[in-house]
Amino acid sequence: MLKPLGDRVILDQPEEEETTVGGIVLASNAQEKPQTANVVAVGDGRVLDNGEKVAPAVKVGDKVLFDKYSGTEVKYQDTTYLVLHEKDLVAVVD
């Protein structure tokens, strides 16, 4: 499994819907990427200038909302993950 460094978080995005409510099939480039995902791994946290470490605010298993154009897609063992900094997370979804 991937282990993120610092304040990075690894997310697993659910598959997008291929059809609309009306039953229209959308091309993959016309589909809007979801902005919610599940946290699968969390780094140790951010290190401040004075050397103090700040623990991450999210944990494995949380469902989160993130900025639309943030992160880097990474393919690992035939699964695509999204790696981003904790500051790019907007909210935890209950």
Side-chain angles (χ1 to χ4, degrees):
M1 183 61 189
L2 296 172
K3 173 79 171 126
L5 300 175
D7 69 336
R8 288 181 176 84
V9 178
I10 299 179
L11 305 176
D12 184 20
Q13 290 183 284
E15 293 293 319
E16 302 100 26
E17 290 287 324
E18 293 184 9
T19 58
T20 64
V21 176
I24 300 171
V25 177
L26 296 174
S28 61
N29 60 353
Q31 294 175 359
E32 196 168 316
K33 290 180 69 176
Q35 289 179 260
T36 59
N38 298 317
V39 177
V40 294
V42 180
D44 295 331
R46 183 170 50 102
V47 178
L48 301 176
D49 292 334
N50 63 4
E52 185 179 331
K53 189 177 281 191
V54 177
V58 295
K59 60 185 180 307
V60 174
D62 284 348
K63 186 173 184 177
V64 294
L65 180 69
F66 57 91
D67 286 334
K68 190 168 195 157
Y69 299 107
S70 61
T72 303
E73 284 191 357
V74 178
K75 191 164 189 168
Y76 178 74
Q77 294 182 347
D78 297 328
T79 305
T80 302
Y81 297 103
L82 184 65
V83 181
L84 46 83
H85 289 277
E86 186 181 24
K87 66 181 168 80
D88 294 327
L89 298 177
V90 177
V92 175
V93 180
D94 285 332

